[in-house]
Amino acid sequence: MQLLYGTSTRSDDFVWSCDKNDAYIEENECFGRFDNFAYIQYYSKAGYRPLENWKGRGVSINDIGIRSDMTRQELSSIDLTLFSGGSTAFGAGVKQTDMYSNFIPDAETAGVGGYLFANEFDFIKDYLTDTLNPKVWVALSGWNDVYAAYRGFDYYTSPDMLSVERALYTANILYRNAYLPKIIQAQTTITPEKFSIKLVYVAAKIAEISGLISVPHTTLQANDFSYDQFWFRFKNEILIAKHFADLNQIKFVFALQPSLYTTKKELSSNEQKLLETYNKLFPNLDEHFKIFYPRLEKDLSDLAQQYDFSFVNTDLALANVKESAFVDHVHFGSIGNKALGLFLQKTLSDYTK
């Protein structure tokens, strides 16, 4: 089944108009000019995963469903370093050639927008490991999990943070089973390619609010989790992942991704404006990260020493970056991607000798 999730504008002759942004190396580049997401399909283990062989604006998904210009066969023949994570690990907002992974020998990314660590672990464990046989697995992660705790998301109730399962259920009601798996799909003139999940979700909300349909909730939203609640779950996921990596003779590295709210980087004027904007849009989110991230960094460092895996705080990559690295509260432009890639190149070389 192909269940598609698109970016906001998909027109071949559409050109983003944007001024020079100091977060980007080249002129006329900005966040949004290149696709921030790939089309995705429903995947029961992690909720969703990218659609194989999808080509977008500055984004190329290969035949195993990761953002790479190399095929499954080509990747299986190298000593692969495989990154996992959410949209930052995916390289959201920069074109293929500007991704951090390009600065690291034999490295590719299996990052997927919206993924929490539990999602990326499932993707690595149940779909990618047997085929790609990576030598090093780097979880460039943490931000989405901390944000999920702020929102009160319980990904043990449902790993599907984009509510693809819910949209699938709704689409089957609204569009006469157009999205049922192909093995049982009835004949219909409506094909999945004609809709994106965003459209389905909007239609579903309208129908739900108007009382036309009743849609079950697949994701728990409650009050925000305390740090201790968050860490208990997060720690257990990491230890299970470390055990899995050991069993498969994979070097496991956890790389805590930077956050605009807690970075020690000297903020550029644009980053300062971003911080002010996001503080208005997300009340108390800055305080949430200021509480969670320092504790998470220490706990991850201690856990890594106790259980013999590598931990790196990638905020160190931004120490000498004078321009903007961030283009919002979590994503990087090409300058931030380059700084991250060069830093990880050296760090991973030291860790994997």
Side-chain angles (χ1 to χ4, degrees), residues 150 261-262 275 279 282-291:
Y150 167 79
Y261 296 115
T262 58
L275 188 60
N279 284 343
F282 300 93
N284 301 319
L285 183 57
D286 59 333
E287 293 302 319
H288 175 84
F289 269 84
K290 287 174 183 176
I291 293 170

Side-chain angles (χ1 to χ4, degrees), residues 7 17 22 41 62 88 91 104 170 283 290 294 339 341 350:
T7 50
S17 59
D22 72 338
Q41 56 192 318
N62 72 359
T88 300
I104 305 163
T170 306
K290 287 174 183 176
D350 291 342

Side-chain angles (χ1 to χ4, degrees), residues 77-341:
S77 65
I78 65 175
D79 290 339
L80 179 64
T81 295
L82 188 63
F83 284 84
S84 67
S87 51
T88 300
F90 175 77
V94 296
K95 61 180 179 290
Q96 205 94 341
T97 54
D98 285 344
M99 291 170 55
Y100 66 93
S101 54
N102 291 332
F103 297 92
I104 305 163
D106 295 330
E108 299 291 338
T109 178
V112 181
Y115 266 18
L116 282 76
F117 183 76
N119 299 108
E120 58 192 90
F121 178 33
D122 278 334
F123 191 32
I124 296 287
K125 171 172 61 73
D126 292 314
Y127 190 71
L128 295 178
T129 301
D130 289 343
T131 302
L132 298 181
N133 191 28
K135 297 298 182 289
V136 181
W137 168 24
V138 184
L140 179 59
S141 193
W143 199 96
N144 283 350
D145 287 87
V146 172
Y147 179 65
Y150 167 79
R151 294 288 305 276
F153 280 128
D154 187 346
Y155 54 82
Y156 288 86
T157 301
S158 169
D160 181 7
M161 302 309 291
L162 292 182
S163 298
V164 178
E165 184 179 2
R166 182 178 180 184
L168 173 66
Y169 173 90
T170 306
N172 285 334
I173 293 174
L174 295 178
Y175 301 117
R176 293 177 290 177
N177 299 327
Y179 291 85
L180 284 175
K182 289 182 177 179
I183 192 169
I184 59 172
Q185 184 173 347
Q187 291 294 321
T188 176
T189 58
I190 300 174
T191 62
E193 288 77 11
K194 292 184 180 179
F195 300 98
S196 75
I197 287 180
K198 287 184 178 179
L199 173 62
V200 172
Y201 184 76
V202 170
K205 292 303 293 183
I206 294 172
E208 187 178 4
I209 292 171
S210 64
L212 295 176
I213 62 172
S214 176
V215 180
H217 292 275
T218 59
T219 302
L220 173 68
Q221 267 192 284
N223 295 325
D224 58 329
F225 293 108
S226 70
Y227 180 82
D228 289 338
Q229 288 175 298
F230 159 81
W231 174 243
F232 175 79
R233 297 182 175 199
F234 198 47
K235 174 184 71 175
N236 287 338
E237 284 288 326
I238 292 171
L239 292 180
I240 294 170
K242 168 60 167 61
H243 180 64
F244 167 80
D246 287 346
L247 288 176
N248 289 275
Q249 298 181 308
I250 301 171
K251 173 75 174 179
F252 178 64
V253 180
F254 194 98
L256 181 63
Q257 64 189 109
S259 166
L260 180 62
Y261 296 115
T262 58
T263 183
K264 291 183 171 58
K265 175 187 184 298
E266 182 179 348
L267 298 184
S268 68
S269 58
N270 284 340
E271 288 170 327
Q272 188 61 50
K273 291 175 183 176
L274 281 173
L275 188 60
E276 294 169 2
T277 298
Y278 283 106
N279 284 343
K280 294 176 182 177
L281 291 174
F282 300 93
N284 301 319
L285 183 57
D286 59 333
E287 293 302 319
H288 175 84
F289 269 84
K290 287 174 183 176
I291 293 170
F292 273 54
Y293 243 52
R295 292 186 65 179
L296 180 58
E297 178 189 355
K298 182 180 186 306
D299 285 342
L300 283 170
S301 179
D302 292 346
L303 196 72
Q305 292 184 31
Q306 184 178 357
Y307 289 94
D308 192 29
F309 65 90
S310 298
F311 167 73
V312 56
N313 179 9
T314 60
D315 189 59
L316 297 172
L318 309 180
N320 298 317
V321 178
K322 301 302 181 184
E323 305 91 343
S324 297
F326 293 94
V327 292
D328 59 19
H329 46 192
V330 60
H331 301 114
F332 293 146
S334 53
I335 286 177
N337 267 268
K338 181 178 180 179
L340 180 63

